[in-house]
Amino acid sequence: MSGSARFALGAVVLTMGNRPEELRALLESVARQEGEPVEVVVVGNGAPLPELPDLPGGLRTVELPENLGIPGGRNAGIEAFGPGGRDVDAILFLDDDGLLPLTDTAERCREAFTADARLGIISFRIADPETGVTQRRHVPRLRAADPLRSSPVTTFLGGASAVRTAVVQEVGALPGDFFYAHEETDLAWRALDAGWDIAYRADCVLHHPTTQPSRHAVYHRMVARNRVWLARRLLPAALIPLYLGVWVLLTLARRPSKAALRAWLGGFREGWATPCGPRRPMRWRTVWRMTRLGRPPVI
């Protein structure tokens, strides 16, 4: 515990200003965390910030003049802790309508990062506050039947996670152009390729109401476009058609509505027709490492 106490932890919370009560409850749950106080950055993503409570760890605020999307907003929060987040050792990324029900989550993160110098990212377990149920899509591995089992993973949940700032400083920030969807996987793959580990920790819990991602109007388009961008940016050339082919088949197998399928196909075309950012394909040894972890980068 003494080693973890010297590990500085910050938190970045995005808000559109439309959930002030939930935001306040989240901030109060951060304030209740045991150990060294967590300093928080609240980012108003294209919206003015509501009145915020004083926090024992301190509170920094950023009001962006326009909505930069989830990765752009989180990147602004990182930079509020200095270039690459250098003022802290790791950053919690938390949804503004989430809540930390346990008071030892921050200390668990500090202890995990302190104990393992190669641990770069921790993905929390998201549970519905009423039912305690964790949706399958919130377990970042293929074998998701037991959400109470912690394990190494190859991606993480953006609004319920902790990222060591050394990862951002080494491999770069979240891909801002993605706006929404797959930005976590982009960062995760770059981190894995640089030799960092990612862990799903079932004992680090974020309460969040059960929702469907398709509630976002841009969901189907962004998911398809960004998946193409992800493949073009980070996969070896030989895996790009395999990865995208698998996801075309999976999308069709889910029998989306005609409107959803049109949006998905439009996003898929957009992913090929528009710049995806710098191409830095992962090494084949990273492909093999991900395969051994149970999720080869073809699905």
Side-chain angles (χ1 to χ4, degrees):
M1 192 71 81
S2 60
S4 66
R6 293 191 294 270
F7 192 93
L9 199 61
V12 169
V13 180
L14 294 190
T15 185
M16 298 287 291
N18 56 349
R19 292 189 282 234
E21 293 182 6
E22 292 91 338
L23 174 60
R24 177 175 285 271
L26 169 66
L27 295 178
E28 290 172 352
S29 76
V30 174
R32 289 193 295 269
Q33 293 299 301
E34 300 165 11
E36 292 294 314
V38 179
E39 184 171 9
V40 179
V41 171
V42 178
V43 179
N45 210 356
L49 291 173
E51 184 179 351
L52 300 171
D54 294 328
L55 299 178
L59 179 68
R60 307 185 193 192
T61 59
V62 177
E63 289 192 354
L64 298 174
E66 61 179 309
N67 183 356
L68 298 183
I70 293 173
R74 288 190 178 134
N75 287 342
I78 293 170
E79 292 302 303
F81 284 115
R86 68 184 181 189
D87 294 352
V88 292
D89 296 302
I91 292 175
L92 305 176
F93 292 114
L94 303 171
D95 278 347
D96 69 344
D97 56 345
L99 186 140
L100 297 174
L102 306 175
T103 61
D104 62 352
T105 299
E107 273 294 89
R108 288 180 187 271
C109 290
R110 290 190 187 98
E111 291 172 353
F113 283 127
T114 303
D116 184 354
R118 295 313 301 168
L119 178 60
I121 301 172
I122 297 171
S123 189
F124 299 171
R125 178 167 62 90
I126 296 178
D128 183 273
E130 299 295 329
T131 66
V133 170
T134 296
Q135 293 178 269
R136 192 186 193 287
R137 68 185 181 89
H138 284 154
V139 183
R141 59 178 180 241
L142 293 180
R143 296 175 180 172
D146 183 7
L148 298 181
R149 178 174 66 87
S150 300
S151 70
V153 289
T154 61
T155 188
F156 66 103
L157 307 168
S161 61
V163 178
R164 195 188 291 264
T165 51
V167 172
V168 175
Q169 293 157 14
E170 179 176 356
V171 307
L174 294 156
D177 289 343
F178 278 42
F179 195 85
Y180 165 80
H182 303 318
E183 68 275 359
E184 304 98 334
T185 300
D186 185 279
L187 177 59
W189 286 7
R190 284 182 281 130
L192 289 168
D193 199 47
W196 293 98
D197 296 330
I198 306 172
Y200 169 69
R201 288 285 299 261
D203 57 347
C204 294
V205 182
L206 181 85
H207 275 176
H208 189 282
T210 297
T211 58
Q212 293 301 321
S214 53
R215 71 190 187 279
H216 299 290
V218 296
Y219 171 76
H220 297 288
R221 170 180 157 242
M222 293 293 191
V223 162
R225 184 198 68 179
N226 292 357
R227 199 176 291 285
V228 176
W229 279 359
L230 178 70
R232 290 174 58 199
R233 283 163 60 90
L234 299 178
L235 285 182
L239 291 185
I240 293 175
L242 181 58
Y243 175 79
L244 295 177
V246 165
W247 278 104
V248 168
L249 293 175
L250 285 173
T251 299
L252 294 175
R254 291 168 178 167
R255 302 174 67 87
S257 68
K258 289 184 179 179
L261 184 58
R262 279 197 302 270
W264 193 94
L265 291 172
F268 193 84
R269 288 191 295 268
E270 184 181 350
W272 286 108
T274 53
C276 64
R279 175 164 167 75
R280 299 190 181 97
M282 67 176 66
R283 294 166 292 182
W284 281 103
R285 71 181 184 185
T286 303
V287 174
W288 174 237
R289 180 185 178 201
M290 293 174 67
T291 301
R292 287 187 286 112
L293 288 171
R295 187 153 194 170
V298 295
I299 187 170

